[in-house]
Amino acid sequence: MNAKNTMNTQHMRHIKRAALAAGVGAVLVAGVLVFVPDGDQGPPEPGPEARARAAVGAGSPASLPDVAALIRDREAWLRKNPQDAESWAVLGAAYVERGGLRADTAYYPKAEQALRRSLKVTPGERRNPAATAGLASLANARHDYAAARKWGEAVRKADPARWTTYPVLIEAYNGLGDYPAAGKALDKLRALGPSNSRVLSVSSAVYRDRGWREDAAAKADEAFTKAGTPAEKAGALHALAGLAWDRGESKEALRYYDAALKISRDHHQSLAGRARALAALDRADEAGQDYQAAIAERPLPEYALELGELYESQGLDGDARSQYALLRDRTARARVDGVNEELLLARFESDHGNPRAAVERLEAEWRRGHRSMQMSDALGWALFKAGEPAKALPYAKRATGQGMRSALFSYHRGEIERALEMDSPARRHLEEALRTNPRFSPLLAPKARTALGELPDGGPKDMHGNGEYTPLSPAPSAPASASSSSPSSAPSSVAPSVPATPSAVASASGTPSKPVSTPTAPVSTQSAARN
């Protein structure tokens, strides 16, 4: 018997032993729920419940119909078997997934009830890691990153080799601004986890936060090629689109968003991203239609904020107010379901409401330990809008000094420095914002160009009539300060070539640069230039 046949035989024996031990026809094999058939013809293709259970268990994207099928299946089973702790954990995780897919936070209290019921039947993170990890994922979904860290670290302590814990921990650490811990968790994930689409997607997201754009794009491209489901493929394409958007390449971003929507028509993240790219391409009517479609399907408050700002940039103040009212309504509903939307509300209040209220919200979050780059940027901007630029500047420096290349962060810092009459740094950061993405916001990008022109002894030297900004100097795409945790070779170009179709993405040539290890401390991409 050759090695392949031996492995197949051993695989079938394992399935049959597990089925007998469980006393049911459904068993978990290599993370996938399969049904044992009669005879030796091998297991059939997994059904929707099995696909969803596999995806949810690994923290990977799942389709809404598959998740709905899994929920129906586990609800029916638990009505007859209420002491099945594993099924309660599966049901709770499925509720979390469905809440995210439908942008319906009402599923989160149901998820918490199911997960805590699982722990009541079988307590302890060692005996019941699935329920404990599920509570960590739920806390991330609610933006309660301190709780997510607590639950995730409990699972890791009980079972350090459980690779699916690390993506949850990385999200929690990033939400808290603990980037050294996130880097170490990624190192561990890559050592333990399979080289699948989920691990590659997490790697891409971490590299994006570090400012390693080319490495992030390479990992996202590889995640696409290894994706096993339409939801995974759409997620990888969405990541590639986001990286193109970060570089100010709106046409390339649009191609990726279109490709994602062809694969998964209900991928609302890509529909909203497509609207963002269309707005940057001066196709405002189409952008508005896409935003409206995204909101009709998934009424996320961040979509309402973006559409409101698009309307405001067009002078449609009444339509903008309608979207801002929707934002308030959705965040109020989310709060009832335990979701923390303080960062989004503060961003809204800073630019469209009460900046002092935004400061109070964000300072409370800061005291809770939520100190991410996004939180730093938002708090700095709120303080500036509230008339305290001197207090704002340290937060703006913190936001721009940890790796991520964000046009918005640079613009905010430039405006704060301009208010403090720090003309040279202000010019540098306003130029950087427009160089990074000249159309980063329909409201703020024009203000950045105006502010740059108003600075003494300088201004937008290379502004074209179409409003695009020509870089004054090449922008680095990798950390400027080398360290032992930097990639072995820094990316040499800002914008990797963007294939026009998903099939081209899958067959893209070139070898991605491979970091020796992930960063374990925040790395400033511009500290040498600024200090």
Side-chain angles (χ1 to χ4, degrees), residues 244-245 248-258 273-288 290-291 310 437-442 449 466-468:
W245 170 258
E249 297 173 357
S250 302
K251 291 181 181 179
E252 286 75 8
L254 182 61
R255 289 210 303 268
Y256 277 124
Y257 288 130
D258 283 341
R274 185 176 190 274
R276 196 177 306 121
L278 287 169
L281 294 169
D282 291 325
R283 295 162 63 180
D285 290 344
E286 295 172 78
D290 277 0
Y291 272 129
L310 176 62
N437 185 347
R439 308 298 295 273
F440 66 92
S441 163
R449 287 189 284 273
N466 61 5
E468 296 297 322

mmCIF file of all heavy atoms in Angstrom, residues 244-245 248-258 273-288 290-291 310 437-442 449 466-468:
data_model
loop_
_atom_site.group_PDB
_atom_site.id
_atom_site.type_symbol
_atom_site.label_atom_id
_atom_site.label_comp_id
_atom_site.label_asym_id
_atom_site.label_seq_id
_atom_site.Cartn_x
_atom_site.Cartn_y
_atom_site.Cartn_z
ATOM 1 N N ALA A 244 -4.765 49.472 -2.116
ATOM 2 C CA ALA A 244 -4.714 50.392 -3.258
ATOM 3 C C ALA A 244 -5.282 51.757 -2.880
ATOM 4 O O ALA A 244 -4.738 52.808 -3.256
ATOM 5 C CB ALA A 244 -5.481 49.797 -4.440
ATOM 6 N N TRP A 245 -6.370 51.756 -2.118
ATOM 7 C CA TRP A 245 -6.955 53.017 -1.664
ATOM 8 C C TRP A 245 -5.971 53.791 -0.794
ATOM 9 O O TRP A 245 -5.822 55.009 -0.930
ATOM 10 C CB TRP A 245 -8.240 52.737 -0.902
ATOM 11 C CG TRP A 245 -8.780 53.946 -0.196
ATOM 12 C CD1 TRP A 245 -8.692 54.239 1.132
ATOM 13 C CD2 TRP A 245 -9.473 55.051 -0.799
ATOM 14 N NE1 TRP A 245 -9.282 55.448 1.398
ATOM 15 C CE2 TRP A 245 -9.773 55.962 0.236
ATOM 16 C CE3 TRP A 245 -9.869 55.348 -2.101
ATOM 17 C CZ2 TRP A 245 -10.450 57.156 -0.002
ATOM 18 C CZ3 TRP A 245 -10.539 56.537 -2.335
ATOM 19 C CH2 TRP A 245 -10.823 57.416 -1.298
ATOM 20 N N GLY A 248 -3.705 55.853 -2.664
ATOM 21 C CA GLY A 248 -4.302 56.875 -3.502
ATOM 22 C C GLY A 248 -4.604 56.402 -4.909
ATOM 23 O O GLY A 248 -4.826 57.222 -5.804
ATOM 24 N N GLU A 249 -4.646 55.088 -5.129
ATOM 25 C CA GLU A 249 -4.881 54.521 -6.458
ATOM 26 C C GLU A 249 -6.343 54.093 -6.563
ATOM 27 O O GLU A 249 -6.695 52.914 -6.448
ATOM 28 C CB GLU A 249 -3.928 53.360 -6.703
ATOM 29 C CG GLU A 249 -2.469 53.819 -6.700
ATOM 30 C CD GLU A 249 -1.478 52.675 -6.777
ATOM 31 O OE1 GLU A 249 -1.921 51.504 -6.773
ATOM 32 O OE2 GLU A 249 -0.267 52.949 -6.810
ATOM 33 N N SER A 250 -7.211 55.073 -6.779
ATOM 34 C CA SER A 250 -8.647 54.831 -6.727
ATOM 35 C C SER A 250 -9.130 53.895 -7.830
ATOM 36 O O SER A 250 -10.030 53.081 -7.611
ATOM 37 C CB SER A 250 -9.391 56.167 -6.814
ATOM 38 O OG SER A 250 -8.996 57.024 -5.768
ATOM 39 N N LYS A 251 -8.552 54.002 -9.026
ATOM 40 C CA LYS A 251 -8.985 53.138 -10.126
ATOM 41 C C LYS A 251 -8.658 51.674 -9.837
ATOM 42 O O LYS A 251 -9.467 50.779 -10.104
ATOM 43 C CB LYS A 251 -8.330 53.576 -11.430
ATOM 44 C CG LYS A 251 -8.837 54.914 -11.954
ATOM 45 C CD LYS A 251 -8.164 55.294 -13.262
ATOM 46 C CE LYS A 251 -8.672 56.632 -13.760
ATOM 47 N NZ LYS A 251 -8.001 57.045 -15.036
ATOM 48 N N GLU A 252 -7.458 51.430 -9.290
ATOM 49 C CA GLU A 252 -7.081 50.061 -8.953
ATOM 50 C C GLU A 252 -7.955 49.533 -7.823
ATOM 51 O O GLU A 252 -8.388 48.380 -7.844
ATOM 52 C CB GLU A 252 -5.608 50.006 -8.556
ATOM 53 C CG GLU A 252 -4.634 50.145 -9.715
ATOM 54 C CD GLU A 252 -4.519 51.568 -10.242
ATOM 55 O OE1 GLU A 252 -5.088 52.484 -9.612
ATOM 56 O OE2 GLU A 252 -3.863 51.769 -11.283
ATOM 57 N N ALA A 253 -8.235 50.387 -6.838
ATOM 58 C CA ALA A 253 -9.119 49.981 -5.750
ATOM 59 C C ALA A 253 -10.492 49.606 -6.293
ATOM 60 O O ALA A 253 -11.077 48.589 -5.885
ATOM 61 C CB ALA A 253 -9.248 51.106 -4.731
ATOM 62 N N LEU A 254 -10.992 50.392 -7.227
ATOM 63 C CA LEU A 254 -12.309 50.114 -7.806
ATOM 64 C C LEU A 254 -12.320 48.761 -8.502
ATOM 65 O O LEU A 254 -13.299 48.002 -8.395
ATOM 66 C CB LEU A 254 -12.678 51.230 -8.785
ATOM 67 C CG LEU A 254 -14.048 51.123 -9.449
ATOM 68 C CD1 LEU A 254 -15.160 51.158 -8.406
ATOM 69 C CD2 LEU A 254 -14.233 52.254 -10.460
ATOM 70 N N ARG A 255 -11.249 48.426 -9.219
ATOM 71 C CA ARG A 255 -11.195 47.125 -9.894
ATOM 72 C C ARG A 255 -11.268 45.979 -8.885
ATOM 73 O O ARG A 255 -11.957 44.985 -9.111
ATOM 74 C CB ARG A 255 -9.912 47.020 -10.723
ATOM 75 C CG ARG A 255 -9.900 47.898 -11.959
ATOM 76 C CD ARG A 255 -9.053 47.281 -13.078
ATOM 77 N NE ARG A 255 -7.687 47.029 -12.652
ATOM 78 C CZ ARG A 255 -6.679 47.872 -12.789
ATOM 79 N NH1 ARG A 255 -6.906 49.070 -13.286
ATOM 80 N NH2 ARG A 255 -5.451 47.543 -12.431
ATOM 81 N N TYR A 256 -10.559 46.118 -7.799
ATOM 82 C CA TYR A 256 -10.587 45.066 -6.786
ATOM 83 C C TYR A 256 -11.967 44.960 -6.134
ATOM 84 O O TYR A 256 -12.469 43.854 -5.885
ATOM 85 C CB TYR A 256 -9.528 45.330 -5.720
ATOM 86 C CG TYR A 256 -8.141 44.855 -6.090
ATOM 87 C CD1 TYR A 256 -7.069 45.742 -6.078
ATOM 88 C CD2 TYR A 256 -7.900 43.533 -6.435
ATOM 89 C CE1 TYR A 256 -5.787 45.318 -6.399
ATOM 90 C CE2 TYR A 256 -6.626 43.107 -6.761
ATOM 91 C CZ TYR A 256 -5.573 43.994 -6.734
ATOM 92 O OH TYR A 256 -4.312 43.567 -7.053
ATOM 93 N N TYR A 257 -12.570 46.099 -5.819
ATOM 94 C CA TYR A 257 -13.908 46.051 -5.221
ATOM 95 C C TYR A 257 -14.906 45.403 -6.182
ATOM 96 O O TYR A 257 -15.748 44.593 -5.769
ATOM 97 C CB TYR A 257 -14.375 47.461 -4.862
ATOM 98 C CG TYR A 257 -13.674 48.071 -3.670
ATOM 99 C CD1 TYR A 257 -13.132 49.358 -3.735
ATOM 100 C CD2 TYR A 257 -13.551 47.369 -2.467
ATOM 101 C CE1 TYR A 257 -12.490 49.927 -2.642
ATOM 102 C CE2 TYR A 257 -12.910 47.934 -1.372
ATOM 103 C CZ TYR A 257 -12.380 49.204 -1.465
ATOM 104 O OH TYR A 257 -11.742 49.766 -0.384
ATOM 105 N N ASP A 258 -14.815 45.746 -7.460
ATOM 106 C CA ASP A 258 -15.701 45.129 -8.449
ATOM 107 C C ASP A 258 -15.494 43.617 -8.504
ATOM 108 O O ASP A 258 -16.452 42.845 -8.591
ATOM 109 C CB ASP A 258 -15.446 45.736 -9.833
ATOM 110 C CG ASP A 258 -16.071 47.113 -10.005
ATOM 111 O OD1 ASP A 258 -16.981 47.444 -9.228
ATOM 112 O OD2 ASP A 258 -15.638 47.857 -10.911
ATOM 113 N N GLY A 273 -16.787 50.277 -0.060
ATOM 114 C CA GLY A 273 -15.471 50.651 -0.569
ATOM 115 C C GLY A 273 -15.548 51.137 -2.006
ATOM 116 O O GLY A 273 -14.863 52.098 -2.394
ATOM 117 N N ARG A 274 -16.382 50.479 -2.795
ATOM 118 C CA ARG A 274 -16.572 50.911 -4.189
ATOM 119 C C ARG A 274 -17.121 52.334 -4.226
ATOM 120 O O ARG A 274 -16.690 53.161 -5.045
ATOM 121 C CB ARG A 274 -17.528 49.950 -4.891
ATOM 122 C CG ARG A 274 -17.713 50.207 -6.372
ATOM 123 C CD ARG A 274 -18.610 49.153 -7.012
ATOM 124 N NE ARG A 274 -18.602 49.262 -8.454
ATOM 125 C CZ ARG A 274 -19.397 50.083 -9.147
ATOM 126 N NH1 ARG A 274 -20.283 50.841 -8.509
ATOM 127 N NH2 ARG A 274 -19.315 50.140 -10.468
ATOM 128 N N ALA A 275 -18.055 52.636 -3.344
ATOM 129 C CA ALA A 275 -18.602 53.989 -3.281
ATOM 130 C C ALA A 275 -17.509 54.997 -2.948
ATOM 131 O O ALA A 275 -17.440 56.089 -3.538
ATOM 132 C CB ALA A 275 -19.714 54.039 -2.239
ATOM 133 N N ARG A 276 -16.644 54.634 -2.022
ATOM 134 C CA ARG A 276 -15.542 55.521 -1.627
ATOM 135 C C ARG A 276 -14.633 55.812 -2.825
ATOM 136 O O ARG A 276 -14.226 56.964 -3.053
ATOM 137 C CB ARG A 276 -14.767 54.856 -0.498
ATOM 138 C CG ARG A 276 -13.833 55.757 0.282
ATOM 139 C CD ARG A 276 -13.195 54.967 1.428
ATOM 140 N NE ARG A 276 -14.194 54.341 2.266
ATOM 141 C CZ ARG A 276 -14.285 53.026 2.484
ATOM 142 N NH1 ARG A 276 -13.427 52.198 1.930
ATOM 143 N NH2 ARG A 276 -15.235 52.540 3.268
ATOM 144 N N ALA A 277 -14.311 54.758 -3.581
ATOM 145 C CA ALA A 277 -13.438 54.932 -4.741
ATOM 146 C C ALA A 277 -14.125 55.752 -5.830
ATOM 147 O O ALA A 277 -13.498 56.607 -6.469
ATOM 148 C CB ALA A 277 -13.031 53.563 -5.282
ATOM 149 N N LEU A 278 -15.412 55.521 -6.048
ATOM 150 C CA LEU A 278 -16.141 56.287 -7.060
ATOM 151 C C LEU A 278 -16.181 57.770 -6.695
ATOM 152 O O LEU A 278 -16.038 58.641 -7.569
ATOM 153 C CB LEU A 278 -17.569 55.748 -7.189
ATOM 154 C CG LEU A 278 -17.708 54.396 -7.899
ATOM 155 C CD1 LEU A 278 -19.116 53.846 -7.714
ATOM 156 C CD2 LEU A 278 -17.384 54.521 -9.384
ATOM 157 N N ALA A 279 -16.369 58.068 -5.416
ATOM 158 C CA ALA A 279 -16.372 59.470 -4.993
ATOM 159 C C ALA A 279 -15.027 60.118 -5.290
ATOM 160 O O ALA A 279 -14.969 61.275 -5.720
ATOM 161 C CB ALA A 279 -16.707 59.561 -3.506
ATOM 162 N N ALA A 280 -13.940 59.383 -5.067
ATOM 163 C CA ALA A 280 -12.609 59.923 -5.339
ATOM 164 C C ALA A 280 -12.379 60.136 -6.828
ATOM 165 O O ALA A 280 -11.529 60.944 -7.213
ATOM 166 C CB ALA A 280 -11.547 58.992 -4.779
ATOM 167 N N LEU A 281 -13.121 59.420 -7.655
ATOM 168 C CA LEU A 281 -12.995 59.545 -9.111
ATOM 169 C C LEU A 281 -14.008 60.537 -9.684
ATOM 170 O O LEU A 281 -14.261 60.543 -10.896
ATOM 171 C CB LEU A 281 -13.173 58.170 -9.759
ATOM 172 C CG LEU A 281 -12.068 57.153 -9.442
ATOM 173 C CD1 LEU A 281 -12.476 55.748 -9.899
ATOM 174 C CD2 LEU A 281 -10.755 57.563 -10.107
ATOM 175 N N ASP A 282 -14.601 61.363 -8.827
ATOM 176 C CA ASP A 282 -15.580 62.379 -9.236
ATOM 177 C C ASP A 282 -16.825 61.766 -9.871
ATOM 178 O O ASP A 282 -17.457 62.382 -10.725
ATOM 179 C CB ASP A 282 -14.946 63.394 -10.197
ATOM 180 C CG ASP A 282 -13.916 64.272 -9.505
ATOM 181 O OD1 ASP A 282 -14.125 64.602 -8.324
ATOM 182 O OD2 ASP A 282 -12.893 64.599 -10.140
ATOM 183 N N ARG A 283 -17.187 60.571 -9.432
ATOM 184 C CA ARG A 283 -18.423 59.925 -9.877
ATOM 185 C C ARG A 283 -19.372 59.887 -8.686
ATOM 186 O O ARG A 283 -19.769 58.847 -8.182
ATOM 187 C CB ARG A 283 -18.118 58.534 -10.429
ATOM 188 C CG ARG A 283 -17.256 58.587 -11.685
ATOM 189 C CD ARG A 283 -16.578 57.280 -12.015
ATOM 190 N NE ARG A 283 -17.495 56.206 -12.318
ATOM 191 C CZ ARG A 283 -17.123 54.964 -12.646
ATOM 192 N NH1 ARG A 283 -15.822 54.668 -12.720
ATOM 193 N NH2 ARG A 283 -18.005 54.034 -12.904
ATOM 194 N N ALA A 284 -19.722 61.083 -8.224
ATOM 195 C CA ALA A 284 -20.437 61.235 -6.957
ATOM 196 C C ALA A 284 -21.828 60.605 -7.003
ATOM 197 O O ALA A 284 -22.281 60.031 -6.008
ATOM 198 C CB ALA A 284 -20.533 62.706 -6.576
ATOM 199 N N ASP A 285 -22.529 60.722 -8.128
ATOM 200 C CA ASP A 285 -23.878 60.149 -8.207
ATOM 201 C C ASP A 285 -23.834 58.634 -8.049
ATOM 202 O O ASP A 285 -24.641 58.052 -7.307
ATOM 203 C CB ASP A 285 -24.534 60.522 -9.533
ATOM 204 C CG ASP A 285 -24.891 62.006 -9.610
ATOM 205 O OD1 ASP A 285 -24.916 62.660 -8.545
ATOM 206 O OD2 ASP A 285 -25.133 62.496 -10.732
ATOM 207 N N GLU A 286 -22.893 57.993 -8.739
ATOM 208 C CA GLU A 286 -22.755 56.547 -8.602
ATOM 209 C C GLU A 286 -22.325 56.175 -7.183
ATOM 210 O O GLU A 286 -22.793 55.176 -6.623
ATOM 211 C CB GLU A 286 -21.724 56.015 -9.594
ATOM 212 C CG GLU A 286 -22.117 56.161 -11.052
ATOM 213 C CD GLU A 286 -20.963 55.788 -11.969
ATOM 214 O OE1 GLU A 286 -20.726 54.582 -12.153
ATOM 215 O OE2 GLU A 286 -20.288 56.716 -12.474
ATOM 216 N N ALA A 287 -21.448 56.977 -6.618
ATOM 217 C CA ALA A 287 -20.998 56.715 -5.251
ATOM 218 C C ALA A 287 -22.180 56.768 -4.287
ATOM 219 O O ALA A 287 -22.326 55.898 -3.418
ATOM 220 C CB ALA A 287 -19.932 57.725 -4.841
ATOM 221 N N GLY A 288 -23.020 57.781 -4.445
ATOM 222 C CA GLY A 288 -24.188 57.888 -3.581
ATOM 223 C C GLY A 288 -25.109 56.686 -3.707
ATOM 224 O O GLY A 288 -25.653 56.186 -2.708
ATOM 225 N N ASP A 290 -24.263 53.623 -4.548
ATOM 226 C CA ASP A 290 -23.645 52.466 -3.899
ATOM 227 C C ASP A 290 -23.721 52.568 -2.379
ATOM 228 O O ASP A 290 -23.973 51.576 -1.694
ATOM 229 C CB ASP A 290 -22.187 52.319 -4.348
ATOM 230 C CG ASP A 290 -22.054 51.595 -5.673
ATOM 231 O OD1 ASP A 290 -23.097 51.201 -6.240
ATOM 232 O OD2 ASP A 290 -20.913 51.417 -6.150
ATOM 233 N N TYR A 291 -23.491 53.757 -1.852
ATOM 234 C CA TYR A 291 -23.637 53.934 -0.406
ATOM 235 C C TYR A 291 -25.073 53.617 0.032
ATOM 236 O O TYR A 291 -25.296 52.933 1.042
ATOM 237 C CB TYR A 291 -23.296 55.363 -0.008
ATOM 238 C CG TYR A 291 -21.839 55.606 0.277
ATOM 239 C CD1 TYR A 291 -21.154 56.669 -0.335
ATOM 240 C CD2 TYR A 291 -21.134 54.829 1.194
ATOM 241 C CE1 TYR A 291 -19.816 56.920 -0.057
ATOM 242 C CE2 TYR A 291 -19.791 55.068 1.465
ATOM 243 C CZ TYR A 291 -19.142 56.114 0.839
ATOM 244 O OH TYR A 291 -17.811 56.362 1.115
ATOM 245 N N LEU A 310 -20.155 62.837 2.013
ATOM 246 C CA LEU A 310 -20.217 63.010 0.560
ATOM 247 C C LEU A 310 -21.298 64.034 0.207
ATOM 248 O O LEU A 310 -21.072 64.936 -0.619
ATOM 249 C CB LEU A 310 -20.498 61.676 -0.113
ATOM 250 C CG LEU A 310 -20.688 61.721 -1.638
ATOM 251 C CD1 LEU A 310 -19.425 62.224 -2.332
ATOM 252 C CD2 LEU A 310 -21.083 60.346 -2.176
ATOM 253 N N ASN A 437 -2.609 60.043 -0.417
ATOM 254 C CA ASN A 437 -3.878 59.841 -1.112
ATOM 255 C C ASN A 437 -4.509 61.200 -1.350
ATOM 256 O O ASN A 437 -5.113 61.777 -0.442
ATOM 257 C CB ASN A 437 -4.818 58.955 -0.288
ATOM 258 C CG ASN A 437 -6.110 58.625 -1.037
ATOM 259 O OD1 ASN A 437 -6.423 59.230 -2.055
ATOM 260 N ND2 ASN A 437 -6.853 57.667 -0.532
ATOM 261 N N PRO A 438 -4.367 61.758 -2.552
ATOM 262 C CA PRO A 438 -4.834 63.121 -2.813
ATOM 263 C C PRO A 438 -6.348 63.290 -2.720
ATOM 264 O O PRO A 438 -6.832 64.416 -2.670
ATOM 265 C CB PRO A 438 -4.332 63.416 -4.229
ATOM 266 C CG PRO A 438 -4.109 62.083 -4.841
ATOM 267 C CD PRO A 438 -3.702 61.169 -3.729
ATOM 268 N N ARG A 439 -7.104 62.183 -2.671
ATOM 269 C CA ARG A 439 -8.570 62.276 -2.590
ATOM 270 C C ARG A 439 -9.069 61.481 -1.382
ATOM 271 O O ARG A 439 -10.069 60.784 -1.450
ATOM 272 C CB ARG A 439 -9.195 61.745 -3.881
ATOM 273 C CG ARG A 439 -8.659 62.351 -5.168
ATOM 274 C CD ARG A 439 -8.902 63.857 -5.252
ATOM 275 N NE ARG A 439 -10.302 64.182 -5.305
ATOM 276 C CZ ARG A 439 -11.007 64.236 -6.423
ATOM 277 N NH1 ARG A 439 -10.431 63.978 -7.592
ATOM 278 N NH2 ARG A 439 -12.285 64.558 -6.402
ATOM 279 N N PHE A 440 -8.383 61.594 -0.261
ATOM 280 C CA PHE A 440 -8.675 60.739 0.878
ATOM 281 C C PHE A 440 -10.031 61.016 1.522
ATOM 282 O O PHE A 440 -10.579 60.177 2.223
ATOM 283 C CB PHE A 440 -7.565 60.849 1.934
ATOM 284 C CG PHE A 440 -7.449 62.188 2.604
ATOM 285 C CD1 PHE A 440 -8.122 62.462 3.785
ATOM 286 C CD2 PHE A 440 -6.644 63.184 2.069
ATOM 287 C CE1 PHE A 440 -7.999 63.689 4.414
ATOM 288 C CE2 PHE A 440 -6.509 64.415 2.696
ATOM 289 C CZ PHE A 440 -7.194 64.676 3.864
ATOM 290 N N SER A 441 -10.593 62.203 1.289
ATOM 291 C CA SER A 441 -11.898 62.560 1.852
ATOM 292 C C SER A 441 -12.523 63.632 0.993
ATOM 293 O O SER A 441 -11.859 64.616 0.649
ATOM 294 C CB SER A 441 -11.732 63.075 3.290
ATOM 295 O OG SER A 441 -12.892 63.771 3.720
ATOM 296 N N PRO A 442 -13.809 63.486 0.644
ATOM 297 C CA PRO A 442 -14.438 64.532 -0.171
ATOM 298 C C PRO A 442 -14.542 65.862 0.568
ATOM 299 O O PRO A 442 -14.599 66.916 -0.065
ATOM 300 C CB PRO A 442 -15.828 63.955 -0.478
ATOM 301 C CG PRO A 442 -16.073 62.942 0.584
ATOM 302 C CD PRO A 442 -14.733 62.377 0.928
ATOM 303 N N ARG A 449 -5.570 70.956 0.663
ATOM 304 C CA ARG A 449 -4.946 71.727 -0.406
ATOM 305 C C ARG A 449 -5.005 73.222 -0.114
ATOM 306 O O ARG A 449 -4.039 73.963 -0.350
ATOM 307 C CB ARG A 449 -5.627 71.406 -1.737
ATOM 308 C CG ARG A 449 -5.270 70.025 -2.280
ATOM 309 C CD ARG A 449 -5.782 69.825 -3.696
ATOM 310 N NE ARG A 449 -7.217 69.578 -3.719
ATOM 311 C CZ ARG A 449 -7.764 68.375 -3.587
ATOM 312 N NH1 ARG A 449 -6.998 67.312 -3.407
ATOM 313 N NH2 ARG A 449 -9.079 68.218 -3.634
ATOM 314 N N ASN A 466 -6.502 69.088 -12.307
ATOM 315 C CA ASN A 466 -7.479 68.062 -11.947
ATOM 316 C C ASN A 466 -7.527 67.802 -10.445
ATOM 317 O O ASN A 466 -8.241 66.919 -9.993
ATOM 318 C CB ASN A 466 -7.168 66.752 -12.676
ATOM 319 C CG ASN A 466 -5.791 66.197 -12.325
ATOM 320 O OD1 ASN A 466 -5.099 66.736 -11.469
ATOM 321 N ND2 ASN A 466 -5.405 65.129 -13.002
ATOM 322 N N GLY A 467 -6.768 68.555 -9.670
ATOM 323 C CA GLY A 467 -6.807 68.386 -8.225
ATOM 324 C C GLY A 467 -5.895 67.309 -7.701
ATOM 325 O O GLY A 467 -5.805 67.111 -6.505
ATOM 326 N N GLU A 468 -5.192 66.588 -8.569
ATOM 327 C CA GLU A 468 -4.272 65.557 -8.111
ATOM 328 C C GLU A 468 -2.964 66.208 -7.668
ATOM 329 O O GLU A 468 -2.559 67.257 -8.169
ATOM 330 C CB GLU A 468 -3.988 64.543 -9.223
ATOM 331 C CG GLU A 468 -5.213 63.756 -9.659
ATOM 332 C CD GLU A 468 -5.760 62.902 -8.537
ATOM 333 O OE1 GLU A 468 -4.958 62.338 -7.775
ATOM 334 O OE2 GLU A 468 -6.989 62.800 -8.417
#
